[in-house]
């Protein structure tokens, strides 16, 4: 199965402005997946669904789950917990 078909069948929508960006909104959170050549960044506000997506991706495709991202495309990533 190709990547796009997998993502769409998993309920994700591909952004029309950037075909390497997929998103899915849930009731209380969302997930965004960015794909660039052989790198992927998965970000979400719901940890359980984000972990589930990564597990499904690993079942379907050969991939490594690396440490939390610190930099992608020369941009530094910082994390901050937001209390709502």
């Amino acid at each position: 199965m190709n990547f796009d078909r997998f993502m769409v069948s998993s309920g994700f929508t591909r952004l029309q402005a950037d075909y390497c960006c997929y998103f899915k909104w849930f009731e209380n959170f969302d997930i965004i997946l960015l794909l660039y050549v052989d790198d992927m960044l998965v970000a979400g506000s719901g940890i359980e669904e984000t972990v589930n997506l990564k597990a499904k991706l690993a079942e379907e495709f050969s991939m490594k789950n690396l440490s939390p991202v610190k930099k992608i495309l020369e941009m530094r990533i910082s994390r901050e917990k937001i209390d709502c």
Side-chain angles (χ1 to χ4, degrees), residues 1-62:
M1 176 178 287
N2 75 27
F3 189 81
D4 183 63
R5 198 170 10 196
F6 173 82
M7 293 302 292
V8 171
S9 71
S10 297
F12 282 77
T13 301
R14 186 170 64 178
L15 190 65
Q16 292 298 311
D18 185 346
Y19 283 177
C20 295
C21 180
Y22 295 84
F23 58 91
K24 184 175 182 179
W25 278 279
F26 297 85
E27 189 172 319
N28 296 321
F29 59 91
D30 53 9
I31 297 177
I32 299 171
L33 183 144
L34 302 170
L35 185 64
Y36 183 74
V37 186
D38 63 349
D39 285 332
M40 180 186 309
L41 177 65
V42 178
S45 56
I47 189 70
E48 186 176 329
E49 285 297 324
T50 303
V51 169
N52 288 340
L53 172 62
K54 289 166 66 175
K56 287 180 186 178
L57 285 163
E59 287 176 11
E60 190 68 30
F61 304 101
S62 175

